[in-house]
Amino acid sequence: DTEVTQTPKHLVMGMTNKKSLKCEQHMGHRAMYWYKQKAKKPPELMFVYSYEKLSINESVPSRFSPECPNSSLLNLHLHALQPEDSALYLCASSQDGEGVGNQPQHFGDGTRLSIL
Amino acid sequence: QQPVQSPQAVILREGEDAVINCSSSKALYSVHWYRQKHGEAPVFLMILLKGGEQKGHDKISASFNEKKQQSSLYLTASQLSYSGTYFCGTEVTDSWGKFQFGAGTQVVVTP
């Protein structure tokens, strides 16, 4: 069991659908992250939220829209995705919102997304 | 720029040792090490910050050579539970937040 909870665990959607991924942590962490991981590849950083503000956007297409409603919750809104967006989407959090590199990241189990 | 990990894969017998390397062409602020088992989330092992420190986690330790911008992860007296893919992750000093994982090293420990 991980302390970062992601829902749903699996999601299948069509290219015209709108869906959202959800991530929750109750460790009091102030930085939260979204990663994309393709099979047999490393996680790729997509977004970083620091103190509930978007601090890093790694040139992610606008069909991915992150949202951080509060310090415990992170959403990823999906719209008009492409088949190549099929992947495991991982959420992570770290304690200190000031730095990305100086804190351990705690990962959720991920949402496995398939685009038809 | 993505850090370079080597080797790509290693097969060990229980009790054997292994070293995984992670290097960067840019000055590093930090190096993280994570292990990911198949179908599971990556699990944090340790962080090394610039300063050349060495850390340990059970029989897994790591070092950071700031001059070479290189980190090494040492698996000592390997156990079956050490199997998985090991990723280093780095943040470079001139790009805050540009955290990137290396391609990973698959470790298989056999009885």
Side-chain angles (χ1 to χ4, degrees), chain A residues 37 58 98 101 103 105 108, chain B residues 30 32 34 36 41 91 96 98:
Chain A
Q37 186 175 27
E58 290 284 21
E98 291 298 332
Q103 297 287 324
Q105 295 182 33
Chain B
S30 67
H32 295 214
Y34 293 82
Q36 186 175 29
E91 184 182 18
W96 183 90
K98 295 290 185 183

Side-chain angles (χ1 to χ4, degrees), chain A residues 31-51:
Chain A
M32 295 185 77
Y33 313 78
W34 279 116
Y35 286 87
K36 173 183 177 181
Q37 186 175 27
K38 300 280 256 184
K40 298 189 186 299
K41 296 291 186 184
E44 293 176 38
L45 186 63
M46 299 173 71
F47 302 104
V48 179
Y49 272 84
S50 177
Y51 297 107

Side-chain angles (χ1 to χ4, degrees), chain A residues 2 35 37 40-43 45 48 50 55-56 58 88 90 97-105 107-109 112, chain B residues 2 29-32 34 36 39-44 47-49 87 91 96-104 106:
Chain A
T2 59
Y35 286 87
Q37 186 175 27
K40 298 189 186 299
K41 296 291 186 184
L45 186 63
V48 179
S50 177
S55 57
I56 299 283
E58 290 284 21
L88 179 68
L90 292 162
E98 291 298 332
V100 172
N102 63 352
Q103 297 287 324
Q105 295 182 33
F107 284 84
D109 288 333
R112 193 160 297 281
Chain B
Q2 185 181 38
Y29 171 65
S30 67
V31 179
H32 295 214
Y34 293 82
Q36 186 175 29
E40 298 182 10
V43 173
F44 170 76
I47 284 180
L48 301 104
L49 302 178
F87 294 103
E91 184 182 18
W96 183 90
K98 295 290 185 183
F99 188 78
Q100 289 188 294
F101 283 100
Q106 187 177 11

